[in-house]
Amino acid sequence: MAARGSRRLEDLTLPQVKEMIGPSSILLLPIGSVEQHGPHLPLTTDHLIAREAAREVGTRCGEELDLWLLPTLAVSKANEHAWAPGTLWLQATTLLSVVNDIAASAAATGARRLVFLNSHGGNTALLVVACREARLAAGMQTFLLHPFLPPDHGGRSATAPSGELGMGVHGGHDETSLMLHLRPDLVDMTLATRRVPDRLAGNRHVRFGGSVPFGWTSDDFGPEGHIGDPTGATAQEGRELFEGAVEMLCEQLAEIAGFDFGMGLDS
């Protein structure tokens, strides 16, 4: 039998899947990464944030929304960090194939909605494509959520210091604060240093968060691999960020639960 209160699909038996998963169910796939995050954060940062956000969302609103958690996809499209030993990564075409296969198998449960909960910025553009590809291939309604939308994709943080210049995209203040909240034992603040591409600050368009995306690898901006200013990060800010993210995710999922393509069309 599934553990009491568990919202993890993998904890169900086959008869329970047939009984409990249906058209109203939402399947949530957390997606992270195993990649370098500078000298002060562990490789697990992205997929730990995705996993913990999904777990907390399942606890708070899983039963109400008929939400079921799929196992976290920890290895994804992270070859912008391929230069760093320990990083594990998939080619973009491989990740797209993996996501399509997961969608096809998820559709067999009878659920109609599949949500990707992505905590690795290097996946974001590809997962927008994956939503449509999985929609076509599996017939499910597909959605992309982020616990924290990356700054280079338009995300804005109320806690990020002005010294990051809006470009704390990797291992900076917010991610470090989150890890100080979630797993402080894995963070070494004695190694935290400011690494912000100040020379891009004068650009209106070609910069992180600007109107012109550009290809980059994390060592383009220094040998330590992080981009941001983690030096002022705190566990308290991390707790506030995490609580705010979970609240927003539950709100977003509530809208997803009621979403249908027929909504708003003239009859």
Side-chain angles (χ1 to χ4, degrees):
M1 295 293 289
R4 184 184 180 94
S6 173
R7 304 302 302 179
R8 299 194 308 175
L9 182 75
E10 65 203 90
D11 289 342
L12 301 179
T13 64
L14 174 59
Q16 287 175 324
V17 170
K18 292 179 177 179
E19 175 187 354
M20 302 173 73
I21 309 297
S24 68
S25 302
I26 301 172
L27 302 183
L28 183 69
L29 176 64
I31 305 176
S33 185
V34 176
E35 63 186 43
Q36 71 80 27
H37 271 76
H40 62 294
L41 292 180
L43 303 177
T44 187
T45 296
D46 283 352
H47 89 263
L48 187 146
I49 292 171
R51 185 188 71 220
E52 290 305 300
R55 180 191 58 77
E56 189 63 23
V57 165
T59 298
R60 296 194 191 183
C61 59
E63 186 170 355
E64 173 189 353
L65 299 179
D66 193 12
L67 176 72
W68 296 92
L69 309 182
L70 304 183
T72 301
L73 182 59
V75 179
S76 60
K77 193 265 175 208
N79 54 350
E80 66 270 32
H81 308 288
W83 60 271
T87 295
L88 305 178
W89 54 274
L90 304 177
Q91 296 279 2
T93 51
T94 304
L95 179 60
L96 193 58
S97 294
V98 168
V99 169
N100 277 338
D101 287 349
I102 292 174
S105 53
T109 66
R112 294 179 57 236
R113 296 173 178 86
L114 175 63
V115 178
F116 306 127
L117 177 59
N118 175 51
S119 190
H120 168 51
N123 291 330
T124 298
L126 184 63
L127 289 176
V128 172
V129 176
C131 279
R132 184 165 293 159
E133 292 299 304
R135 168 71 181 153
L136 290 167
M140 301 184 79
Q141 296 181 14
T142 52
F143 308 86
L144 174 60
L145 300 182
H146 294 84
F148 308 94
L149 187 64
D152 50 332
H153 289 277
R156 295 291 182 268
S157 169
T159 65
S162 60
E164 282 193 327
L165 307 174
M167 294 188 287
V169 300
H170 182 67
H173 179 275
D174 286 357
E175 277 191 321
T176 304
S177 292
L178 282 163
M179 289 300 291
L180 286 170
H181 168 59
L182 295 171
R183 286 295 304 273
D185 56 305
L186 298 179
V187 182
D188 187 349
M189 289 299 290
T190 68
L191 298 178
T193 54
R194 182 184 184 276
R195 294 290 183 266
V196 176
D198 296 275
R199 63 187 182 275
L200 297 183
N203 290 357
R204 179 181 177 188
H205 300 291
V206 185
R207 54 171 290 152
F208 289 113
S211 61
V212 180
F214 56 94
W216 57 275
T217 65
S218 54
D219 60 341
D220 284 335
F221 302 99
E224 292 181 302
H226 63 292
I227 305 169
D229 185 0
T231 57
T234 68
Q236 175 63 22
E237 287 176 305
R239 186 188 70 79
E240 293 171 359
L241 284 167
F242 188 75
E243 290 295 317
V246 170
E247 181 178 346
M248 177 62 75
L249 289 169
C250 284
E251 182 180 322
Q252 292 169 328
L253 287 163
E255 287 196 8
I256 287 171
F259 178 85
D260 201 311
F261 286 111
M263 296 174 62
L265 294 181
D266 294 334
S267 56

Short mmCIF file of all heavy atoms in Angstrom, two decimals, residues 77 79-81 122 152 169-170 208 214-221 225 227:
data_model
loop_
_atom_site.label_atom_id
_atom_site.label_comp_id
_atom_site.label_asym_id
_atom_site.label_seq_id
_atom_site.Cartn_x
_atom_site.Cartn_y
_atom_site.Cartn_z
N LYS A 77 19.68 18.87 -19.60
CA LYS A 77 20.50 19.56 -20.59
C LYS A 77 21.38 20.59 -19.87
O LYS A 77 20.98 21.72 -19.64
CB LYS A 77 19.59 20.21 -21.63
CG LYS A 77 20.30 20.71 -22.88
CD LYS A 77 20.62 22.16 -22.71
CE LYS A 77 21.44 22.69 -23.87
NZ LYS A 77 22.27 23.83 -23.42
N ASN A 79 24.96 21.03 -20.66
CA ASN A 79 26.31 21.03 -21.25
C ASN A 79 26.96 22.39 -21.28
O ASN A 79 28.12 22.53 -21.67
CB ASN A 79 26.32 20.39 -22.63
CG ASN A 79 25.31 21.01 -23.59
OD1 ASN A 79 24.47 21.81 -23.19
ND2 ASN A 79 25.40 20.61 -24.85
N GLU A 80 26.27 23.46 -20.83
CA GLU A 80 26.95 24.72 -20.62
C GLU A 80 27.95 24.65 -19.46
O GLU A 80 28.76 25.54 -19.26
CB GLU A 80 25.94 25.86 -20.37
CG GLU A 80 25.14 25.75 -19.09
CD GLU A 80 23.84 24.98 -19.24
OE1 GLU A 80 23.79 24.05 -20.07
OE2 GLU A 80 22.88 25.32 -18.54
N HIS A 81 27.84 23.53 -18.70
CA HIS A 81 28.77 23.27 -17.61
C HIS A 81 29.63 22.03 -17.88
O HIS A 81 30.27 21.51 -16.96
CB HIS A 81 28.01 23.07 -16.30
CG HIS A 81 27.04 24.17 -16.00
ND1 HIS A 81 27.43 25.43 -15.61
CD2 HIS A 81 25.69 24.19 -16.04
CE1 HIS A 81 26.36 26.19 -15.42
NE2 HIS A 81 25.29 25.46 -15.67
N GLY A 122 19.07 26.13 -17.79
CA GLY A 122 19.53 25.62 -19.08
C GLY A 122 18.50 24.76 -19.79
O GLY A 122 18.64 24.48 -20.98
N ASP A 152 17.68 35.25 -16.68
CA ASP A 152 17.93 35.38 -18.12
C ASP A 152 16.71 35.00 -18.95
O ASP A 152 16.75 35.07 -20.18
CB ASP A 152 19.16 34.57 -18.54
CG ASP A 152 19.16 33.15 -18.04
OD1 ASP A 152 18.55 32.89 -16.99
OD2 ASP A 152 19.78 32.29 -18.70
N VAL A 169 22.51 34.64 -12.32
CA VAL A 169 21.83 33.55 -13.02
C VAL A 169 22.26 32.15 -12.56
O VAL A 169 21.60 31.17 -12.89
CB VAL A 169 22.04 33.66 -14.56
CG1 VAL A 169 21.48 34.97 -15.07
CG2 VAL A 169 23.52 33.53 -14.94
N HIS A 170 23.36 32.05 -11.81
CA HIS A 170 23.85 30.70 -11.51
C HIS A 170 24.73 30.73 -10.28
O HIS A 170 25.84 31.29 -10.30
CB HIS A 170 24.63 30.15 -12.71
CG HIS A 170 25.14 28.75 -12.52
ND1 HIS A 170 24.30 27.66 -12.41
CD2 HIS A 170 26.39 28.27 -12.40
CE1 HIS A 170 25.02 26.57 -12.24
NE2 HIS A 170 26.30 26.91 -12.23
N PHE A 208 22.32 39.31 -19.67
CA PHE A 208 21.39 38.38 -19.05
C PHE A 208 20.10 39.13 -18.72
O PHE A 208 20.13 40.18 -18.06
CB PHE A 208 21.99 37.78 -17.77
CG PHE A 208 23.10 36.81 -18.05
CD1 PHE A 208 24.41 37.10 -17.67
CD2 PHE A 208 22.85 35.61 -18.67
CE1 PHE A 208 25.44 36.21 -17.92
CE2 PHE A 208 23.88 34.70 -18.93
CZ PHE A 208 25.17 35.01 -18.55
N PHE A 214 21.88 34.99 -25.97
CA PHE A 214 23.16 34.64 -26.56
C PHE A 214 23.63 33.31 -25.98
O PHE A 214 23.30 32.94 -24.86
CB PHE A 214 24.21 35.73 -26.34
CG PHE A 214 24.43 36.10 -24.89
CD1 PHE A 214 25.45 35.49 -24.16
CD2 PHE A 214 23.63 37.04 -24.27
CE1 PHE A 214 25.67 35.82 -22.83
CE2 PHE A 214 23.84 37.38 -22.94
CZ PHE A 214 24.86 36.77 -22.22
N GLY A 215 24.39 32.57 -26.77
CA GLY A 215 24.94 31.32 -26.29
C GLY A 215 26.09 31.57 -25.34
O GLY A 215 26.94 32.43 -25.60
N TRP A 216 26.13 30.82 -24.25
CA TRP A 216 27.20 31.00 -23.28
C TRP A 216 27.47 29.70 -22.54
O TRP A 216 26.62 28.81 -22.47
CB TRP A 216 26.86 32.11 -22.28
CG TRP A 216 25.58 31.91 -21.50
CD1 TRP A 216 24.32 32.25 -21.89
CD2 TRP A 216 25.45 31.32 -20.20
NE1 TRP A 216 23.41 31.91 -20.92
CE2 TRP A 216 24.07 31.34 -19.86
CE3 TRP A 216 26.36 30.77 -19.29
CZ2 TRP A 216 23.58 30.83 -18.66
CZ3 TRP A 216 25.86 30.27 -18.08
CH2 TRP A 216 24.49 30.30 -17.79
N THR A 217 28.67 29.61 -22.03
CA THR A 217 29.00 28.54 -21.09
C THR A 217 29.44 29.22 -19.79
O THR A 217 29.87 30.37 -19.80
CB THR A 217 30.12 27.63 -21.63
OG1 THR A 217 31.33 28.38 -21.75
CG2 THR A 217 29.73 27.02 -22.96
N SER A 218 29.32 28.49 -18.70
CA SER A 218 29.52 29.14 -17.40
C SER A 218 30.96 29.56 -17.14
O SER A 218 31.21 30.41 -16.29
CB SER A 218 29.03 28.23 -16.27
OG SER A 218 29.62 26.95 -16.35
N ASP A 219 31.91 29.01 -17.88
CA ASP A 219 33.29 29.46 -17.71
C ASP A 219 33.65 30.62 -18.63
O ASP A 219 34.78 31.10 -18.61
CB ASP A 219 34.27 28.30 -17.89
CG ASP A 219 34.20 27.65 -19.27
OD1 ASP A 219 33.19 27.84 -19.97
OD2 ASP A 219 35.16 26.95 -19.63
N ASP A 220 32.68 31.11 -19.42
CA ASP A 220 32.92 32.31 -20.22
C ASP A 220 33.12 33.53 -19.33
O ASP A 220 33.69 34.54 -19.77
CB ASP A 220 31.73 32.59 -21.15
CG ASP A 220 31.70 31.68 -22.37
OD1 ASP A 220 32.77 31.17 -22.76
OD2 ASP A 220 30.61 31.48 -22.92
N PHE A 221 32.64 33.45 -18.09
CA PHE A 221 32.66 34.61 -17.21
C PHE A 221 33.57 34.40 -16.00
O PHE A 221 33.48 35.10 -15.01
CB PHE A 221 31.24 34.93 -16.75
CG PHE A 221 30.31 35.19 -17.91
CD1 PHE A 221 29.48 34.21 -18.38
CD2 PHE A 221 30.32 36.42 -18.54
CE1 PHE A 221 28.65 34.44 -19.47
CE2 PHE A 221 29.48 36.67 -19.63
CZ PHE A 221 28.65 35.68 -20.09
N GLY A 225 32.97 29.40 -12.26
CA GLY A 225 31.75 28.78 -12.78
C GLY A 225 30.44 29.34 -12.29
O GLY A 225 29.39 28.98 -12.82
N ILE A 227 27.78 32.70 -11.49
CA ILE A 227 27.51 34.02 -12.04
C ILE A 227 26.51 34.70 -11.11
O ILE A 227 25.31 34.39 -11.14
CB ILE A 227 26.96 33.93 -13.48
CG1 ILE A 227 27.91 33.12 -14.37
CG2 ILE A 227 26.74 35.33 -14.05
CD1 ILE A 227 27.33 32.77 -15.73
#
